[in-house]
Amino acid sequence: MMERAESCQKLYTRMRLWDFPDEYVIESTDGSSASSLSINRVDASIKLLDAIPDCSSVRVPKIQTIFGVVGMLKLVAGSYLIVITERECVGSYLGHPIFKVVSMRILPCDNSLKDSSPEQKKVESEFSGLLKVAEKTVGLFFSYDTNLTLSAQRLNDLGDESKLLPLWRQAEPRFLWNNYMLEVLIDHKLDPFLLPVIQGSFHNFQAAIGKEIVDVTLIARRCTRRNGTRMWRRGADPDGYVANFVETEQIVQMNGYVASFVQVRGSMPFLWEQIVDLTYKPKFEIIKPEEAPRVAERHFLDLRKKYGAVLAIDLVNTTGDEGRLSAKFASSMEPIQSDDLRYIHFDFHKICGHVHFERLSFLYDQIADFLDKNGYLLLNDKGEKMKEQHGVVRTNCIDCLDRTNVTQSMIGRKMLELQLRRIGVFSAEETISKHPNLDEKYKILWANHGDDVSIQYSGTPALKGDFVRFGKRTVQGILNDLYNALGRYYLNNFVDGTKQDAIDLLQGHYIVSVSRDMTPPSQKGGLESMANFPAALGLVSVGLFLAVVSLGQARYDLRYLFFSALWATISLGAAAVVKANGRIFCNRPRLHKPRR
């Protein structure tokens, strides 16, 4: 039905890594009698071998099984090969097994480093440290048999000639997580080793509807154009590529039918930022506001080329700092709206509050006509196209996480019900909620999906996940939100700067050279040079505690009143230093010259 035509060379699914002192050799062990790949550990030169090199007492290799080659990065004095050392099968996509990357390994080809200058060694050490961060990247998925970067509709539309190409050549570059890392290997024509990897989410389940079985899959594809962490990647770049852009596809398979529905999310498409400074919610800053209409136009022109008609749903507040962003978004949309581009503002917090998410039905009433007109992909049991999706809903809040996920899950639920009615499984008024097993699994599917997307961008699971998971707000869910909100605050201020650098390095947004050394840490004198946030925070906490204790003893001895005032003064002074020097304490990205 949706089978990929056999290409001239299939990907290797299992390999043996021979780790020699002077070279790495990768040998296919999945039954194919092909040449092995050799990478020199001195200069990273690549060649194909007909046989494994001889071993000796002074040349004893370490041997390890690997499951894919992710790519190679060139730093200042060495290159680094990235391979998959552990995988997990998480389901199937249109009949093909899908694997999640469980662990990766960085293989250094840096034996020449001993001949490098001290400056090169210093820079190499700092950049290779970022690769250790990158090694722990979460949410990576791949398939040896099908193209995960394309939706079912785009896969169905591929011509026969395109289906014969290697998977990496079929791939959509914006969703190919290792696109930049594959470049070196592509130059050497190593197609069987070139494994396309996406970052995102993959979940599916099966449930009974009467005597029938429905298979539902939810897949997310994260765009690499403006990839990054929550506080360090906001808004759009001048070309209209936005932060946290994710394509979400919901696929239903039942009775031979395949139905697919695609939605997207992404940051508000103009130049704005939110630089961390230790405050819980740093101020939003709109950059070059006069450029906003042009950037938004570029963004939506790109979306219309890829998806057709676009309905943009803006969920942010109309008041406060968010209100300024929403007003700029609305004014940027005014001159470019058309029959194929609509903009709707829905103040999620004002209308739904923190518990009344059922009021999203008001939003659905406003968009139902768009969904009905632009439809979804539907293939019959012969693989023939019965319906096609002609447009996409684009949803955003500030982070494009919590409010967005609740809203997208509502839209996905409505579309699933429409699809099941079209296939003939549901009656005209039948809903998912009338089937408890299907309803429960569907909620969990979207909750897990939201957590995955959120962890990649913010470092924590999604907020409001209890509503998506259980259909209502719970006390435990509210407590989890508080815990996750504090976790985001810590990660955004003290971890994500380094993580952003690692992402920029992997995605090729920063090209390494000695002349482009990382900006050294700020050289401040006096108190600022000794300032340390955990110590300052500890001083504030201890000072306030002692102030309260001393105040409690003042009724017995007035001298404690003096000590209480003293400790309170010290606490307020430390707090003032923390606030005034917030940006100094923060972990900020240091690779500040992006690749254009």
Side-chain angles (χ1 to χ4, degrees):
M1 183 177 4
M2 289 286 295
E3 292 292 320
R4 181 174 72 92
E6 290 297 315
S7 61
C8 53
Q9 279 186 307
K10 295 196 69 174
L11 285 168
Y12 300 146
T13 60
R14 183 184 292 266
M15 289 156 278
R16 183 179 293 120
L17 171 67
W18 299 77
D19 186 346
F20 290 99
D22 58 341
E23 68 177 327
Y24 299 110
V25 177
I26 299 176
E27 173 195 16
S28 170
T29 59
D30 58 2
S32 57
S33 56
S35 299
S36 299
L37 174 63
S38 168
I39 302 99
N40 189 289
R41 296 185 65 165
V42 177
D43 59 6
S45 59
I46 296 173
K47 62 181 179 181
L48 292 174
L49 304 175
D50 292 329
I52 302 300
D54 294 332
C55 306
S56 67
S57 58
V58 294
R59 198 170 183 268
V60 180
K62 299 175 183 177
I63 301 175
Q64 179 180 9
T65 297
I66 64 172
F67 301 98
V69 177
V70 174
M72 180 179 282
L73 281 177
K74 168 73 174 166
L75 298 186
V76 175
S79 295
Y80 297 79
L81 186 70
I82 307 172
V83 298
I84 297 169
T85 55
E86 192 175 350
R87 69 186 180 187
E88 176 190 357
C89 187
V90 292
S92 64
Y93 177 64
L94 302 173
H96 302 288
I98 304 302
F99 297 91
K100 180 179 182 179
V101 175
V102 176
S103 65
M104 295 187 290
R105 181 183 169 193
I106 308 291
L107 303 174
C109 303
D110 61 353
N111 288 1
S112 63
L113 192 60
K114 60 180 179 293
D115 300 322
S116 302
S117 67
E119 182 185 11
Q120 286 179 319
K121 290 180 180 179
K122 175 180 179 295
V123 176
E124 187 82 4
S125 175
E126 295 201 39
F127 279 115
S128 59
L130 292 178
L131 292 182
K132 291 297 182 182
V133 177
E135 200 174 32
K136 298 177 174 61
T137 301
V138 298
L140 302 180
F141 298 86
F142 64 91
S143 170
Y144 300 109
D145 305 305
T146 192
N147 189 348
L148 275 184
T149 67
L150 296 181
S151 66
Q153 180 162 307
R154 295 190 66 189
L155 273 175
N156 187 73
D157 291 343
L158 277 182
D160 290 339
E161 290 186 5
S162 296
K163 291 177 181 177
L164 290 173
L165 295 173
L167 284 182
W168 71 266
R169 292 193 63 185
Q170 298 178 29
E172 165 63 72
R174 63 194 174 123
F175 296 133
L176 184 57
W177 179 79
N178 57 331
N179 188 35
Y180 175 68
M181 291 173 272
L182 286 175
E183 286 182 4
V184 173
L185 302 179
I186 286 171
D187 292 341
H188 288 81
K189 304 185 185 305
L190 303 169
D191 291 345
F193 294 96
L194 305 183
L195 180 65
V197 177
I198 69 167
Q199 185 177 31
S201 175
F202 185 94
H203 296 281
N204 70 346
F205 71 83
Q206 291 185 336
I209 303 177
K211 296 181 179 180
E212 309 289 347
I213 300 295
V214 61
D215 185 295
V216 182
T217 299
L218 199 59
I219 181 170
R221 305 175 179 95
R222 178 172 295 280
C223 181
T224 63
R225 303 294 194 202
R226 191 167 167 75
N227 200 1
T229 57
R230 179 173 174 248
M231 289 295 185
W232 299 113
R233 282 295 178 271
R234 293 291 206 188
D237 65 14
D239 295 322
Y241 296 119
V242 297
N244 201 21
F245 186 88
V246 178
E247 178 184 278
T248 294
E249 181 181 19
Q250 179 176 282
I251 301 171
V252 182
Q253 298 176 81
M254 191 171 191
N255 295 341
Y257 288 89
V258 176
S260 161
F261 177 67
V262 171
Q263 305 181 65
V264 297
R265 70 179 78 191
S267 194
M268 284 180 276
F270 51 90
L271 279 64
W272 62 278
E273 64 182 12
Q274 190 180 19
I275 302 300
V276 296
D277 58 5
L278 293 185
T279 58
Y280 178 71
K281 196 171 184 179
K283 286 186 176 181
F284 302 117
E285 297 181 22
I286 300 175
I287 305 165
K288 297 181 180 179
E290 70 281 358
E291 290 286 305
R294 182 190 63 81
V295 174
E297 184 176 22
R298 281 192 171 190
H299 173 74
F300 283 103
L301 179 62
D302 182 59
L303 286 190
R304 290 168 68 184
K305 286 180 179 178
K306 290 181 170 65
Y307 298 102
V310 179
L311 172 61
I313 301 176
D314 180 16
L315 300 173
V316 305
N317 301 346
T318 52
T319 58
D321 238 13
E322 287 193 14
R324 289 193 303 110
L325 294 180
S326 181
K328 176 56 67 176
F329 191 8
S331 65
S332 299
M333 293 297 295
E334 284 178 6
I336 60 175
Q337 287 196 70
S338 65
D339 292 340
D340 291 333
L341 177 57
R342 286 173 53 191
Y343 169 83
I344 291 177
H345 181 264
F346 184 85
D347 190 330
F348 187 101
H349 285 152
K350 181 179 180 181
I351 298 171
C352 299
H354 295 288
V355 292
H356 296 294
F357 296 165
E358 73 281 356
R359 294 176 184 171
L360 281 170
S361 60
F362 300 152
L363 173 62
Y364 182 74
D365 292 341
Q366 297 180 61
I367 66 174
D369 60 332
F370 179 91
L371 296 173
D372 182 61
K373 178 181 177 181
N374 292 285
Y376 50 86
L377 172 73
L378 181 63
L379 305 176
N380 64 18
D381 55 2
K382 298 178 181 179
E384 299 166 339
K385 188 185 297 183
M386 302 177 65
K387 284 178 67 71
E388 188 172 6
Q389 185 170 346
H390 298 288
V392 72
V393 177
R394 179 202 191 277
T395 307
N396 75 268
C397 47
I398 291 297
D399 298 327
C400 304
L401 297 177
D402 314 315
R403 287 172 279 184
T404 295
N405 202 61
V406 172
T407 302
Q408 285 197 336
S409 68
M410 177 274 293
I411 296 172
R413 172 180 285 260
K414 294 290 187 181
M415 292 306 296
L416 176 56
E417 291 171 346
L418 288 174
Q419 290 163 345
L420 292 177
R421 290 176 195 133
R422 177 66 180 80
I423 293 172
V425 178
F426 272 10
S427 63
E429 301 300 321
E430 198 169 356
T431 62
I432 294 173
S433 59
K434 293 182 179 179
H435 299 269
N437 183 249
L438 173 63
D439 188 38
E440 180 184 3
K441 289 184 176 181
Y442 188 78
K443 289 172 181 174
I444 292 173
L445 179 82
W446 269 95
N448 291 338
H449 174 86
D451 285 346
D452 289 347
V453 173
S454 179
I455 287 169
Q456 292 158 27
Y457 188 54
S458 73
T460 75
L463 309 186
K464 304 177 178 68
D466 54 335
F467 178 81
V468 180
R469 197 176 296 273
F470 304 115
K472 62 182 180 179
R473 294 247 62 182
T474 64
V475 173
Q476 184 61 51
I478 294 171
L479 292 175
N480 288 343
D481 283 359
L482 176 61
Y483 175 80
N484 288 328
L486 292 174
R488 286 182 184 182
Y489 172 81
Y490 172 77
L491 293 171
N492 298 161
N493 280 277
F494 308 115
V495 175
D496 283 351
T498 300
K499 184 179 176 182
Q500 185 64 56
D501 285 339
I503 291 171
D504 287 339
L505 198 61
L506 287 181
Q507 304 291 303
H509 299 316
Y510 185 90
I511 307 301
V512 178
S513 71
V514 178
S515 60
R516 296 183 60 186
D517 192 3
M518 292 189 291
T519 305
S522 177
Q523 301 299 317
K524 301 284 185 179
L527 180 61
E528 288 183 5
S529 65
M530 297 181 290
N532 176 275
F533 176 72
L537 183 61
L539 182 59
V540 172
S541 302
V542 170
L544 289 175
F545 173 76
L546 292 175
V548 172
V549 171
S550 298
L551 189 61
Q553 295 295 320
R555 56 181 173 174
Y556 305 113
D557 189 335
L558 290 178
R559 287 178 299 177
Y560 283 103
L561 191 60
F562 167 76
F563 290 118
S564 178
L566 176 63
W567 284 116
T569 302
I570 292 173
S571 299
L572 292 173
V577 170
V578 169
K579 187 177 189 303
N581 298 285
R583 295 194 180 189
I584 295 173
F585 293 125
C586 298
N587 173 238
R588 302 169 63 79
R590 299 168 66 195
L591 308 185
H592 56 2
K593 296 179 181 178
R595 181 197 194 199
R596 300 301 301 160

